[in-house]
Amino acid sequence: MEGDILRRGRIRGVKPPEVDRYTSSIEADKWIFEADLMVDKAHVVMLVEQGIIPLEDGLAIIEKLDEIGRMGYEEVTRSSFEDIHVAIETRLIEALGEDVGGRMHTARSRNDEVATCIRFALRRQLIGLLGELLELMKVLHSRSLEHLDAIMPGYTHTQHAQPVTLAHHLNAHLDSFERDFERILDAYKRVNLSPLGAGALATTGFPINRFRTAELLGFDGLVENSMDAVSARDFILETLSCLAILATHLSRIAEELVLWSSLEFGYAELPDEYSSTSSIMPQKKNPDTMELTRAKACRVYGNLAAALSMLKALPLTYNRDLQEVTPRLWDSVETVRSMLRIVSGALKNVEFKTEAMRIRVSEGFSTATELADLLVRRRGLAFRTAHMIVGALVSEALSRGLKPEQVDGKLLDEVSVRVYGKPMNLADEEVREALTPSKCVEVRKVVGGPSPETVREALEHRRKLIERLEKKLKSLEEKEYAVERRLAEAVEKLRKQLRA
Ligand code: ARG
């Protein structure tokens, strides 16, 4: 078609290429191409059902929209367009003539249209993302189950703190991802509402049926107030926030894998497929995928900060600024989805060096709390007093170059007489046992604790939880298939009407 369908009235003239590129959203609109075709069809079905446009015109439009869908985004957007809405409408008018194709945009604005498209496309992205998140949770679950007895140092301040197991450690990460899953499910509820029918900002005088388009498109309800409907982007902020938190969790686990891959830790070796090497140092095996995961989290934060800033001073209702918000959303969605797949893939085949963990845990006096607890239990000391005696004992052992397994009842008595005035009179056996990491872990059976049987139970609960989340996700996926079906049925009904 000759010229821009919007620039034949109030304003004229062709935009210079730079202005054209500056104002166009066509590149980011590839994310809403499919969604826009669905939204167009649902709108046209409703217009026909309400008697707002003729049945034959509506059906001709829907048929062409299907053809435009088959042309694909690249072909449809070959020449320059302000956005995908204009591109599709232009193709339609090219094919059907203005008297038919030009009826599609009756009782609608690009303002309600774009908000509907973003919500529709985002909903499907979230479902895909939840599937990838669930996969990561399953990987963590199965890697935990393999390592119920793998004793390792637990850290606070990156210093040996108390012994735990690798299973307990991985399960901790699993729980944070479970909360991410719930958070995104919750955000989904506010994403999946229909602004369509709000028009530019004040609805329309045509007798449209907003509930019908919402139903046809699989929305759970309306964004009712028309001014709110076209200007609200808090569903984007909420999604970006959820993604920023999820990215934080992915980055933390990535950071640990970087640390653990170092010679100093030696707790993990990433699969070669997830590592890179150096162009000069032939020996290098670098955990690049995990380093990039750390950095990509920052990009996701940047998108949230950018979107917040763009929205904070916007007066109601639609402002073109909103066009700059949407790409921040797609960038975060795409980035976090790839982070999820990469971290899952790396964790699936990372080799955990449990022997190195076992050796390390016996070196750092991470069992000292258990010895203090023993003094409380066997000698009735206040914990604070026991804390002082054992602290002095560790200090003495370190200055003599003794390892935890070389500490005995005699050394304990020597120190306790010096700092407390009395010996503890404990058998060497008892002292040694308290200082044995596996024993420390075994007695920590409190719910949420690291003992193998406690963690096994916790993992059983997580297994059931993952099953529940999987069912929930399945039901959301099925709801999506139903959208295509329902729309096709509505169109079929109109076709029958035409034949009759
Ligand atoms: N491309 C626009 C966007 O992404 C669509 C809405 C345009 N509306 C307008 N009044 N110019 O926001």
Side-chain angles (χ1 to χ4, degrees), residues 159-214:
Q159 306 287 323
H160 282 213
Q162 292 179 350
V164 292
T165 65
L166 180 55
H168 196 49
H169 188 109
L170 295 176
N171 198 12
H173 284 298
L174 171 57
D175 281 4
S176 69
F177 290 122
E178 189 262 315
R179 290 191 296 277
D180 287 313
F181 196 102
E182 301 279 357
R183 230 185 315 272
I184 292 167
L185 268 187
D186 206 58
Y188 171 99
K189 286 192 249 166
R190 281 169 293 279
V191 168
N192 197 31
L193 299 172
S194 175
L196 199 61
L201 77 161
T203 70
T204 173
F206 289 103
I208 60 167
N209 184 347
R210 293 189 66 192
F211 293 107
R212 178 61 173 153
T213 44

Side-chain angles (χ1 to χ4, degrees), residues 296-326:
K296 282 179 194 287
C298 312
R299 172 175 175 161
V300 175
Y301 303 159
N303 287 332
L304 172 60
L308 284 165
S309 328
M310 289 172 197
L311 291 169
K312 75 168 268 285
L314 278 193
L316 293 181
T317 56
Y318 182 86
N319 298 273
R320 194 62 180 273
D321 312 44
L322 293 178
Q323 180 173 295
E324 285 291 314
V325 177
T326 320

Side-chain angles (χ1 to χ4, degrees), residues 6 23-26 29 32 82-85 109-115 118 200 233 318-324 326-327:
L6 302 186
T23 50
S24 175
S25 61
I26 203 77
D29 286 350
I32 57 169
E82 191 169 294
D83 56 34
I84 195 65
H85 320 296
S109 154
R110 279 184 296 167
N111 297 352
D112 58 342
E113 181 181 2
V114 74
I118 299 167
R233 292 294 185 274
Y318 182 86
N319 298 273
R320 194 62 180 273
D321 312 44
L322 293 178
Q323 180 173 295
E324 285 291 314
T326 320

Side-chain angles (χ1 to χ4, degrees), residues 123-410:
R123 178 178 91 200
R124 294 191 163 179
Q125 286 295 327
L126 289 183
I127 290 174
L129 183 146
L130 285 175
E132 285 151 358
L133 181 52
L134 205 61
E135 170 63 20
L136 172 62
M137 290 166 67
K138 285 187 196 164
V139 170
L140 280 166
H141 189 272
S142 75
R143 302 286 345 234
S144 285
L145 267 180
E146 288 168 34
H147 295 294
L148 286 168
D149 299 302
I151 310 284
M152 67 175 291
Y155 296 84
T156 62
H157 312 267
T158 330
Q159 306 287 323
H160 282 213
Q162 292 179 350
V164 292
T165 65
L166 180 55
H168 196 49
H169 188 109
L170 295 176
N171 198 12
H173 284 298
L174 171 57
D175 281 4
S176 69
F177 290 122
E178 189 262 315
R179 290 191 296 277
D180 287 313
F181 196 102
E182 301 279 357
R183 230 185 315 272
I184 292 167
L185 268 187
D186 206 58
Y188 171 99
K189 286 192 249 166
R190 281 169 293 279
V191 168
N192 197 31
L193 299 172
S194 175
L196 199 61
L201 77 161
T203 70
T204 173
F206 289 103
I208 60 167
N209 184 347
R210 293 189 66 192
F211 293 107
R212 178 61 173 153
T213 44
E215 183 202 14
L216 283 170
L217 291 168
F219 286 106
D220 295 323
L222 301 183
V223 189
E224 188 186 312
N225 180 296
S226 64
M227 296 180 76
D228 182 38
V230 295
S231 71
R233 292 294 185 274
D234 50 290
F235 72 98
I236 292 184
L237 294 180
E238 192 175 354
T239 301
L240 285 172
S241 307
C242 291
L243 294 178
I245 297 171
L246 171 54
T248 305
H249 293 151
L250 288 164
S251 178
R252 289 182 80 167
I253 203 165
E255 161 67 2
E256 283 184 347
L257 286 172
V258 171
L259 278 179
W260 290 9
S261 300
S262 69
L263 186 63
E264 283 65 21
F265 271 88
Y267 289 176
E269 184 169 346
L270 285 173
D272 281 1
E273 297 86 328
Y274 286 81
S275 309
S276 305
T277 188
S278 154
S279 62
I280 174 171
M281 298 166 282
Q283 86 284 8
K284 287 303 278 303
K285 178 171 178 180
N286 297 329
D288 294 35
T289 50
M290 297 300 104
E291 299 169 75
L292 287 165
T293 300
R294 277 188 314 211
K296 282 179 194 287
C298 312
R299 172 175 175 161
V300 175
Y301 303 159
N303 287 332
L304 172 60
L308 284 165
S309 328
M310 289 172 197
L311 291 169
K312 75 168 268 285
L314 278 193
L316 293 181
T317 56
Y318 182 86
N319 298 273
R320 194 62 180 273
D321 312 44
L322 293 178
Q323 180 173 295
E324 285 291 314
V325 177
T326 320
R328 305 295 105 232
L329 173 67
W330 303 134
D331 186 77
S332 277
V333 165
E334 188 173 38
T335 304
V336 171
R337 289 189 67 175
S338 68
M339 289 166 77
L340 278 168
R341 292 191 298 268
I342 292 292
V343 172
S344 286
L347 276 171
K348 202 177 276 176
N349 291 311
V350 65
E351 186 188 343
F352 289 115
K353 311 272 189 183
T354 52
E355 187 53 21
M357 295 175 179
R358 203 189 53 72
I359 292 169
R360 277 277 174 268
V361 75
S362 63
E363 292 172 347
F365 284 97
S366 61
T367 51
T369 313
E370 187 55 27
L371 182 57
D373 290 349
L374 180 71
L375 302 191
V376 171
R377 281 198 287 270
R378 298 278 282 107
R379 294 291 168 255
L381 298 187
F383 178 77
R384 187 53 59 228
T385 313
H387 178 273
M388 168 196 65
I389 297 170
V390 175
L393 175 66
V394 169
S395 172
E396 184 64 31
L398 287 175
S399 71
R400 293 193 199 177
L402 298 177
K403 293 193 168 150
E405 68 260 27
Q406 293 169 303
V407 170
D408 55 14
K410 191 164 145 276

